[in-house]
Structure formats: structure tokens, C-alpha cells
Amino acid sequence: MSMDIIVMGPPGAGKGTQAHAIADARTLPHVATGDLFRDAVHRETPLGQEARVYMERGELVPDAVTVAIVLERLEQSDAARGVVLDGFPRTFAQAQALDTALAARARRVQHAVYLNVPREAILRRVSGRWLCDTCQAAYHTLYRPPSVAGRCDACGGVLAQRIDDRRETAERRLDVYLEQTAPVIDYYRQRGVLREVNGDQPIADVQREVLAVVAALR
Ligand code: AP5
């Protein structure tokens, strides 16, 4: 049986960190729109050039572009059993497009895991974040430091800061989240699939709660 899980929450809530753990636990692909866009920016593709403009401003990439990249990813064979979506959907239009795409495959969103984290904690996390240039693994100067400064534990790649982690851009991302994405959380709450987890705890504690939530999934 297939399983489709969404991980939601404000920027820096730990979506990537926890989506990765869920994907490992349930042997599902982790599909993160932010990672797909960063990869396109890195490779300087036409999509990357378009996405970069929005990402640098802390704005959402237009729905048509975002939906297309996710639908293309869902076509790949490893997504046939389901996916863990991280950072998608972020608007009603995206949520509706996802419903339609999954329904066409006789699937639906079973769980939307919502990581609730207050604004001050988010800004602290985002400003201390470092990402591996090669495998995109996330580190934090205080909460998840790499064993060797500036190097990825997983692959030895170089760690770099994101283009949208400057404080003023991070503030804008938070405002955009409140305006456009927070209402989508209510959409899943009303459908009875939302599972709220306190994301303002140490990573291991959040992970324990998140994995308990998805372990209950059939
Ligand atoms: P995206 O990459 O999705 O960014 P985001 O939503 O702003 O979220 P982050 O990646 O910043 O944080 P996260 O919640 O994944 O947390 P993480 O685990 O990394 O999107 C970037 C941009 O792409 C958007 O602004 C937009 O332009 C575009 N985009 C993406 N999706 C889109 C869509 N659907 N539609 C339109 N545009 C889209 O953790 C953050 C840091 O905190 C790390 O350093 C981590 O180690 C640390 N940390 C994690 N958990 C904890 C914890 N419990 N305690 C302490 N530290 C922690």
C-alpha cells in the first residue's frame, strides 16, 4: 500500500531534518521543493535562474512552476509507493494540484505532520544553519555542529550558508509563510489528517515524536 506524508511548518522549523528521518524510517523518497530549486539554482538551469529571483527575496516561486516540478518528481518510479513531501504544498493552489495528482493514482495525503515552532527560535536556527554543497545535509553551529568544522559528516563536502538565510530575507520568508502557507495547515486540519508536533525541542525529541506519529500509519 502507498503512503503519502506531508511535513509542514514555518521556515527553519526542522521540516528537512524530520522529513529525512521519516523517509528513512518508512523507506520512502524525500521530496523537498526547496532542495529541487536549490539544485536547479546550483546547476544554473532556466528553472534555477527563475527560482533564484524569488528565493533571494524570500518569496514563493510561482505555483505553476512549483507544481510542475513536483508532478514531474511524482512520475519517477521510486515515488510509486508514496513520498514524504517537505515544503510542498505551500498554497491552496498547490494543495489542490497535489490532491488531483494523487487521486489520479488512487492515492491521497494520509498525514500532514505540522512542526510548530515560535518565531524567535526559527530566526536563531536559520541564522546558524550550514548546508553541504554536495549532499545538502543540514548542520547548525549550535544544535548540530559537524565533526570537522566546514565539512559534511556524511560525504566530506564543503558546508555553505543559503542565499536566503540572511536575517531580513528570513523575516520575509516568515511573513510569506504566515500569509500564504499557514491557511493551508487549516485545510489539512479540517480534513482530519493534521498531526501537530512541538518542534521547539531538541532534534532527537522532535524526531521521537514525529516517528511515533508516522509509526501509527497504516
Ligand atoms: P525551503 O528550502 O523549503 O525553505 P523553508 O521552508 O524556508 O524551510 P527551511 O529549509 O529553511 O527549514 P526546514 O524547516 O527544512 O528546517 P531544517 O530541517 O533545514 O524553501 C526555500 C525557498 O524555496 C522558499 O523560500 C521559496 O522561495 C522556494 N520554495 C520552496 N518550496 C516552495 C513551494 N512549495 N512553493 C513556492 N516556493 C517554494 O532546519 C533548519 C536548521 O535548524 C538546521 O540548521 C537544523 O540543523 C536546525 N534544526 C532543525 N531542527 C532543530 C531543532 N529541533 N532544534 C534546534 N535546531 C534544529
Side-chain angles (χ1 to χ4, degrees):
M1 189 189 152
S2 66
M3 182 165 296
D4 293 286
I5 302 170
I6 296 173
V7 183
M8 309 187 79
K15 298 185 296 296
T17 306
Q18 300 304 334
H20 191 74
I22 296 172
D24 277 355
R26 305 296 315 214
T27 334
L28 290 170
H30 169 200
V31 176
T33 38
D35 290 348
L36 295 174
F37 287 137
R38 274 184 291 281
D39 178 59
V41 168
H42 188 69
R43 290 186 290 114
E44 298 183 352
T45 63
L47 168 70
Q49 283 163 6
E50 180 175 3
R52 184 183 186 105
V53 175
Y54 296 95
M55 295 171 85
E56 280 183 338
R57 295 201 299 242
E59 309 275 344
L60 295 184
V61 178
D63 284 336
V65 177
T66 307
V67 167
I69 199 173
V70 171
L71 296 193
E72 191 182 314
R73 183 64 185 84
L74 288 179
E75 291 293 330
Q76 291 175 20
S77 58
D78 65 338
R81 284 184 47 250
V83 286
V84 181
L85 284 166
D86 158 9
F88 183 93
R90 269 169 143 108
T91 64
F92 279 119
Q94 293 179 15
Q96 281 159 358
L98 178 64
D99 283 348
T100 305
L102 291 181
R105 295 165 172 80
R107 285 158 50 183
R108 64 184 170 81
V109 172
Q110 276 124 323
H111 265 2
V113 178
Y114 165 45
L115 301 172
N116 195 352
V117 182
R119 190 176 182 105
E120 322 78 65
I122 283 167
L123 291 171
R124 228 175 13 250
R125 284 185 194 180
V126 166
S127 60
R129 173 182 27 209
W130 291 80
L131 286 184
C132 175
D133 240 3
T134 309
C135 74
Q136 304 300 317
Y139 296 87
H140 193 281
T141 41
L142 298 177
Y143 309 125
R144 181 179 263 182
S147 310
V148 177
R151 289 283 170 182
C152 176
D153 290 351
C155 75
V158 174
L159 303 186
Q161 281 203 294
R162 270 171 45 171
I163 52 174
D164 55 352
D165 275 351
R166 282 189 306 271
R167 185 159 179 117
E168 61 277 16
T169 315
E171 298 254 19
R172 178 67 193 135
R173 282 160 58 205
L174 262 168
D175 292 341
V176 167
Y177 166 78
L178 290 173
E179 287 159 19
Q180 300 187 51
T181 307
V184 183
I185 289 171
D186 286 333
Y187 173 76
Y188 289 109
R189 186 177 282 121
Q190 280 159 17
R191 282 179 39 181
V193 297
L194 195 80
R195 304 288 177 266
E196 185 166 338
V197 170
N198 174 12
D200 191 18
Q201 321 176 64
I203 292 175
D205 295 345
V206 180
Q207 184 169 320
R208 199 170 307 114
E209 285 192 27
V210 164
L211 292 184
V213 161
V214 299
L217 270 181
R218 292 282 172 266

